[in-house]
Amino acid sequence: MSRTPAYDEAYPRELWSHERAHLKARVPGRDLPDDRPSREVVGVALSGGGIRSATFCLGVFQALARLGQLARIDYISTVSGGGYFGSFLGRLYQRKEIADAEQVRALLDPAGTASQRPAGIPDVVAWLRENGRYLSPNGAGDLLIGAAIALRNWVTIHVVVLSFALLMLITGQLVRLTLELRYPALGLDQSQATAWLWWSPWIVVPGLTFVCWAVPLAWAFWMTGLWRRHRPVIEWPVWGVVLTAVIALALRKGWRPLGWVEWWPQVGNVVLVAIVLTWVAWGIALWKATDKETVFPSVESRKVFEIDRQRNLLSTYLKAALVVTGAMLAFALVDSIGQTLYLVRMRSIDRSFNALYSALAALAGAAAFAQRITTALAGRANGGRLRLPVAALVTAAALAVTALLLISLSVLAHALSWQFQEPSGGPTIKWITPSPARGTFNVQIPETAGGTVTATTVAAPEIARLADRSCDTGGTGPCVRGAGTLQIVGLFWAILLAFALLFGRCWPFINQSSLHSMYSARLTRAYLGASNPRRTAVDRERITDVVPGDNTDPIDYWPPAPAPGAADPKARPLHLINVTINETVDGRSNVQQQDRKGTGLAVGPCSFSVGVRHHAVFESHRAFRSAGAPAPAPREVTVFPGRPAGAEGAGYRVFAAGTGPGWPGGESLSIGKWTGISGAAFSTGLGSRTSLGLSLLCGLANVRLGYWWNSGVSPSWRSGGRRPWPLEKIFAVQSYLFSEFLSRFSGTSRRHWYLSDGGHFENMGAYELIRRRLARIMLIDAEADPHYTFDGLANLIRKARLDFGARIEFLTEKGIEECVPQAHRHLFGTLEQLRRGKWSQEPVKERLIDRLRLTVDEPVDEARHSLAHAALARVTFVDEPAWEGWLLYIKPTLVGDEPADIVQYHRAHLPFPQETTADQFFDEAQWESYRMLGYHIGLDVFGTGVPAATGPTSVPPSPAARIFG
């Protein structure tokens, strides 16, 4: 069957050629066509779900090992928790102590004996069982280490972020103080009599920005199209501008429409400035909208395009103006509230105010850690978004915490500016009673009144003015800032700037300060290290120690394919690791849809694949330069889509590298790192579930498991990509951190991509197998799905249809009756029959034939059972109607025939086998229950109908034969 253009785009022929070499070495003599995988190629997808998924998948693979079917698996595509087991299995195959596939089977087979296991390899299943609490394998001691690491990183990240925020606030103080001293006529330090808030002079800036930037842009929008001849002259928008200019000139000349208003001339000046800026904005937009290169069929067609383009530019500029105005307004409000609180604090010793201030500080600290609850909501494995009320509450809490932190920093900035003394010029705040000791001062000022000297009581600001007391000279009373204060503030500013510059250029800090390193390290030791011979020694190292042989490099993990005709005795399957590239803002990448807020990145032995059509293909990871090695030849890495011959470009290319076809390769990460990224479920970037509130709260508490990966591609190499601003380069670390906190991820358009859990894009792991159009796919869905809504499966079906034109259709009861022999009917059912609850029979009429149908009551009853363990689906493609594949879907369910220990555990823990993914600390009973359930289901589903290790069976073939037969 020939390949279609859509198939070529999603799965390039060259990528299949490289993977084909590995598959032919797995099974020598197997006939594999040159254009696509044959129908005998089998792929297994392992879903996310943390340690629950890893343990359940282990049980299923033990059943396959027991039945002699392990060597039949060609591809393993993993996500998150499924990747824990996938990387464990891949590392096991890679060990030099493993001679062939039979030894791997013996290690996983529960009935295997010690004599069948290779020398030096530990009992890997026992190791995994012992390390079910992989985040704290040694109990309280490890928890304390983890807490110490988290506290250290939390403090450090706040030093970087808050010092940069304080730098911005001190910059405002420095500019304000400079203007006060240089231009005293501006009156920036004038006192106010009585007010609710001591308004910052910066409050006028957002007003000026709005009037002089936003209003002209909005006005210019309505002035476009002035040259259209078919419009009557009286309808031209310019007449509105003329009339407004006449009114503004009249106001400047003394016209008073409301006589008691004295500032009408200033209004006239502002209006005239706005009119001038409106014409400037209109002219700039018209100039940028002019297109002299494109050939239009007529002059009118050109005008239509230029008018539309001009309006689009003006709308885009207006958005930027409103964003800047909003940011300046927020800055002014924070500065106003900060200086008001500082003034009140210095003038009042009222205990009620101190209690209020302490309560606000406690609230800020408590709210920063309350995000852990919201992160658990965001990290639900079923992939659903937060409901609107919860999302609104989370966002409100995040903004409140952020506002409290910024206001506290603003108070500190004012304290530094006023040298921790009482400021002069402040108003009397209405909502606080000043202390007599600080609010007023009794001084004797001689006054002549008929020759009599009298005493007058004056307020503190007046005393400061009369006495001309400066902050620089010390003493008591209100502080008047002078040149010495400017020098001190400048010194603080210079110190903060130096720290910001140092932090901004220290790129390793951004990833080392997160929890990713600790998380991936413990995953590496627990799963990749399970087969490490160093851990079998008498004086074996502790799980918390770094031991040679645990982790590995992609070059060793995915070795090159053997020479043509050679065999791989280990018959290792091709492991595909799936992660998510977060993208919440338009980076002009055109790789993802906005609702997804991210796209998938699959890393395999021969490729990096992004989205549907972007690939970097190579024979092996040795194509990329390692430390100290020369750069590879560009031809070793082929980029898709390529650059057509004679063309200037092929549109946006994720892996573009200058004008050549090659890709220099991205940052080299170990398999432990890739596994940790694939399981980074809790972070500031959550794919489609990303929101401002969750990102803020996770960032403030430094619950960050994602990773900023250097892709090796500069934005300047791409056409249409956004170029970073100069400040983004100077303060790179702060820029990327604020991107995390504000949930603004640019996807692949910047050099560094924010990678997180593969389940944030597709949590089943079958996306890459659908891409390859494998005819036999087994999907193990062990994500948390307590209500059996099948959200992750529905997401896979939707994305497969939209991205690859694939139709995944599960069999109905009638289809199951036709395809499944009666001997296996109790194991297979519809998706509805995989749910658990109270089942009953109801009559249904179908084509004039009365029959009974089993239905389950709502809501789900955790104490009851399901009717089946697995379901079957047909897979077809729109562009290949004659092609048909099969997908076997396995889900952790209880049907009532499980071993007694599983039944007892279920009675004691009703959510089993759908306990929350937030629980990553499995004890022995919990771990063994999930493993044994997977083993039990695997034996039931695959135990008949496929050739076992001991020979064929006489029982009729089961639907599992569609996968392994």
Side-chain angles (χ1 to χ4, degrees):
M1 185 178 294
S2 61
R3 295 169 63 101
T4 64
Y7 188 27
D8 270 329
E9 182 178 65
Y11 188 49
R13 203 179 286 260
E14 185 167 351
L15 175 54
W16 161 243
S17 175
H18 292 323
E19 292 182 349
R20 178 175 175 268
H22 288 270
L23 297 180
K24 287 182 71 67
R26 289 193 72 254
V27 184
R30 180 165 57 168
D31 183 24
L32 292 175
D34 294 333
D35 60 341
R36 63 190 303 149
S38 66
R39 303 193 70 83
E40 287 72 32
V41 176
V42 177
V44 177
L46 308 181
S47 79
I51 190 173
R52 176 189 58 254
S53 177
T55 310
F56 181 80
C57 291
L58 169 64
V60 175
F61 271 69
Q62 282 189 289
L64 294 175
R66 182 75 188 96
L67 298 170
Q69 304 305 314
L70 201 59
R72 287 176 171 257
I73 299 174
D74 296 295
Y75 286 92
I76 295 180
S77 179
T78 63
V79 174
S80 193
Y84 302 176
F85 173 76
S87 61
F88 152 77
L89 186 64
R91 189 71 173 107
L92 177 61
Y93 273 107
Q94 185 201 355
R95 298 291 179 186
K96 63 181 181 180
E97 290 80 6
I98 299 294
D100 52 38
E102 175 58 26
Q103 291 183 334
V104 175
R105 188 203 67 78
L107 281 168
L108 294 182
D109 185 358
T113 62
S115 60
Q116 294 176 303
R117 297 169 185 163
I121 297 294
D123 185 345
V124 292
V125 176
W127 173 270
L128 294 177
R129 183 185 299 112
E130 292 172 3
N131 291 282
R133 301 181 181 91
Y134 68 93
L135 290 178
S136 60
N138 293 327
D142 289 333
L143 288 177
L144 288 176
I145 293 175
I149 293 173
L151 179 62
R152 177 198 64 196
N153 294 357
W154 181 82
V155 171
T156 308
I157 202 74
H158 277 74
V159 168
V160 175
V161 173
L162 298 184
S163 65
F164 188 79
L166 183 61
L167 172 64
M168 298 296 101
L169 294 169
I170 290 291
T171 301
Q173 293 291 328
L174 186 64
V175 174
R176 174 181 174 180
L177 184 55
T178 302
L179 293 176
E180 285 181 3
L181 299 178
R182 186 70 176 83
Y183 305 101
L186 294 176
L188 298 181
D189 59 344
Q190 288 183 354
S191 63
Q192 305 172 36
T194 304
W196 290 96
L197 198 67
W198 186 9
W199 290 103
S200 167
W202 295 116
I203 198 66
V204 302
V205 176
L208 293 175
T209 305
F210 181 78
V211 172
C212 298
W213 190 0
V215 170
L217 289 170
W219 202 342
F221 177 88
W222 301 109
M223 292 173 55
T224 55
L226 298 182
W227 50 72
R228 291 198 173 185
R229 299 177 181 178
H230 64 273
R231 295 178 59 178
V233 176
I234 192 63
E235 295 182 7
W236 284 11
V238 71
W239 295 118
V241 179
V242 173
L243 178 60
T244 306
V246 171
I247 295 174
L249 290 172
L251 292 175
R252 292 187 73 250
K253 294 298 183 181
W255 179 47
R256 301 289 187 274
L258 298 175
W260 50 273
V261 178
E262 299 180 356
W263 35 263
W264 280 116
Q266 287 77 8
V267 172
N269 292 333
V270 171
V271 172
L272 288 176
V273 171
I275 290 174
V276 173
L277 293 175
T278 298
W279 281 105
V280 172
W282 180 85
I284 292 176
L286 178 61
W287 169 66
K288 297 197 70 172
T290 302
D291 187 351
K292 297 182 179 179
E293 297 180 358
T294 304
V295 178
F296 292 90
S298 65
V299 175
E300 286 300 320
S301 296
R302 178 186 296 274
K303 295 298 184 184
V304 169
F305 165 78
E306 291 179 349
I307 290 173
D308 291 342
R309 175 63 175 158
Q310 185 180 6
R311 287 174 173 169
N312 177 264
L313 289 172
L314 290 171
S315 299
T316 303
Y317 298 157
L318 177 61
K319 181 194 74 171
L322 292 177
V323 169
V324 173
T325 300
M328 295 304 301
L329 179 61
F331 180 86
L333 289 176
V334 168
D335 193 58
S336 298
I337 297 173
Q339 77 171 359
T340 301
L341 291 177
Y342 177 70
L343 176 67
V344 171
R345 183 65 187 88
M346 296 305 296
R347 287 188 179 177
S348 173
I349 57 172
D350 191 356
R351 293 182 180 179
S352 62
F353 176 78
N354 291 337
L356 173 64
Y357 203 79
S358 300
L360 291 175
L363 176 63
F369 289 96
Q371 61 78 39
R372 297 180 187 273
I373 300 175
T374 59
T375 308
L377 292 173
R380 294 175 301 171
N382 58 16
R385 301 184 186 183
L386 294 180
R387 294 184 177 181
L388 183 60
V390 178
L393 289 175
V394 171
T395 302
L399 293 177
V401 172
T402 305
L404 288 172
L405 288 173
L406 291 178
I407 290 171
S408 300
L409 290 176
S410 179
V411 173
L412 176 59
H414 283 280
L416 294 174
S417 175
W418 292 100
Q419 299 183 43
F420 296 91
Q421 300 182 43
E422 180 183 343
S424 65
T428 301
I429 305 301
K430 292 183 179 181
W431 47 271
I432 197 72
T433 301
S435 170
R438 294 195 179 194
T440 59
F441 294 85
N442 295 323
V443 296
Q444 300 297 324
I445 300 178
E447 295 185 0
T448 302
T452 304
V453 177
T454 62
T456 304
T457 301
V458 296
E462 184 66 14
I463 288 189
R465 185 185 66 82
L466 295 174
D468 193 23
R469 185 178 301 279
S470 172
C471 298
D472 308 332
T473 60
T476 60
C479 170
V480 178
R481 298 184 291 189
T485 305
L486 179 61
Q487 295 177 359
I488 295 176
V489 174
L491 177 62
F492 281 125
W493 180 84
I495 294 173
L496 289 172
L497 179 62
F499 272 107
L501 291 173
L502 291 175
F503 285 135
R505 305 307 300 173
C506 185
W507 178 256
F509 169 81
I510 195 169
N511 288 318
Q512 293 297 326
S513 62
S514 71
L515 299 180
H516 168 79
S517 295
M518 180 182 71
Y519 174 65
S520 60
R522 296 196 173 182
L523 276 179
T524 298
R525 296 163 195 163
Y527 285 91
L528 278 76
S531 57
N532 188 356
R534 292 286 296 269
R535 297 195 179 274
T536 64
V538 177
D539 56 342
R540 64 179 182 178
E541 306 285 351
R542 295 177 301 173
I543 179 64
T544 52
D545 294 333
V546 179
V547 177
D550 284 349
N551 211 344
T552 185
D553 187 86
I555 295 176
D556 299 322
Y557 188 77
W558 288 302
D568 178 10
K570 298 183 180 181
R572 68 189 84 194
L574 278 66
H575 183 196
L576 308 175
I577 301 176
N578 296 275
V579 301
T580 297
I581 305 173
N582 287 265
E583 182 175 4
T584 59
V585 297
D586 180 16
R588 298 184 179 91
S589 67
N590 300 317
V591 175
Q592 57 90 33
Q593 296 181 7
Q594 186 58 34
D595 288 339
R596 300 181 181 184
K597 297 181 181 178
T599 190
L601 165 63
V603 185
C606 305
S607 69
F608 286 78
S609 296
V610 175
V612 177
R613 57 192 292 265
H614 299 274
H615 312 272
V617 179
F618 40 84
E619 290 187 3
S620 76
H621 285 262
R622 293 182 180 177
F624 303 114
R625 176 173 51 187
S626 58
R635 58 182 174 80
E636 293 187 14
V637 181
T638 305
V639 171
F640 295 90
R643 185 184 297 275
E648 293 184 359
Y652 184 91
R653 298 192 298 162
V654 167
F655 298 105
T659 58
W663 176 48
E667 178 183 359
S668 179
L669 299 179
S670 66
I671 298 302
K673 287 281 188 181
W674 281 116
T675 303
I677 294 171
S678 180
F682 302 93
S683 195
T684 49
L686 299 170
S688 62
R689 288 167 284 157
T690 303
S691 67
L692 174 62
L694 286 171
S695 296
L696 264 178
L697 290 178
C698 289
L700 290 173
N702 200 34
V703 178
R704 302 162 48 239
L705 291 178
Y707 192 89
W708 286 101
W709 184 61
N710 185 354
S711 67
V713 181
S714 172
S716 62
W717 295 348
R718 298 194 181 99
S719 59
R722 185 182 74 84
R723 304 296 189 269
W725 295 346
L727 285 179
E728 289 180 319
K729 295 182 179 180
I730 297 174
F731 302 107
V733 170
Q734 294 90 337
S735 171
Y736 280 93
L737 284 176
F738 285 129
S739 294
E740 280 194 66
F741 285 26
L742 300 178
S743 66
R744 294 184 61 81
F745 302 104
S746 298
T748 60
S749 65
R750 300 175 75 175
R751 174 183 288 272
H752 291 86
W753 307 348
Y754 190 71
L755 308 181
S756 65
D757 193 315
H760 295 157
F761 175 74
E762 193 277 301
N763 201 39
M764 295 293 99
Y767 186 86
E768 289 300 312
L769 305 182
I770 298 293
R771 175 201 300 279
R772 287 161 172 77
R773 301 198 180 186
L774 302 187
R776 301 183 180 193
I777 298 174
M778 180 176 71
L779 169 56
I780 302 178
D781 177 7
E783 72 172 6
D785 189 10
H787 302 292
Y788 289 83
T789 56
F790 303 97
D791 285 348
L793 178 62
N795 180 53
L796 167 66
I797 294 173
R798 187 180 306 113
K799 284 185 168 65
R801 181 171 58 247
L802 294 174
D803 294 355
F804 303 125
R807 292 186 296 237
I808 303 176
E809 299 172 330
F810 279 85
L811 299 185
T812 61
E813 288 190 49
K814 183 178 179 180
I816 293 174
E817 291 174 357
E818 295 174 352
C819 296
V820 179
Q822 188 62 33
H824 314 290
R825 180 65 182 82
H826 66 289
L827 300 173
F828 296 86
T830 64
L831 289 181
E832 183 73 6
Q833 291 170 350
L834 295 181
R835 303 182 69 201
R836 61 178 172 181
K838 181 179 180 181
W839 290 89
S840 58
Q841 289 184 329
E842 68 172 14
V844 61
K845 198 166 189 178
E846 182 179 354
R847 295 184 181 179
L848 304 180
I849 301 176
D850 291 332
R851 55 195 295 270
L852 294 177
R853 179 176 63 186
L854 289 169
T855 60
V856 64
D857 295 344
E858 293 285 356
V860 169
D861 188 347
E862 293 182 339
R864 295 183 180 270
H865 296 153
S866 304
L867 297 182
H869 291 310
L872 280 170
R874 287 188 177 92
V875 182
T876 58
F877 288 85
V878 174
D879 58 340
E880 287 187 294
W883 188 94
E884 181 182 83
W886 286 93
L887 186 147
L888 173 62
Y889 177 76
I890 297 177
K891 197 173 184 70
T893 57
L894 301 172
V895 299
D897 65 347
E898 290 76 23
D901 61 322
I902 296 180
V903 173
Q904 184 278 331
Y905 187 85
H906 175 228
R907 289 173 180 170
H909 305 83
L910 289 181
F912 175 84
Q914 297 295 338
E915 294 170 293
T916 173
T917 308
D919 180 10
Q920 294 292 294
F921 301 85
F922 276 24
D923 58 21
E924 182 180 83
Q926 187 177 17
W927 190 93
E928 182 62 16
S929 296
Y930 278 102
R931 185 204 66 82
M932 190 60 196
L933 179 61
Y935 182 67
H936 171 77
I937 292 176
L939 287 180
D940 275 356
V941 173
F942 299 105
T944 55
V946 295
T950 56
T953 177
S954 59
V955 180
S958 80
R962 299 185 186 277
I963 305 300
F964 291 109

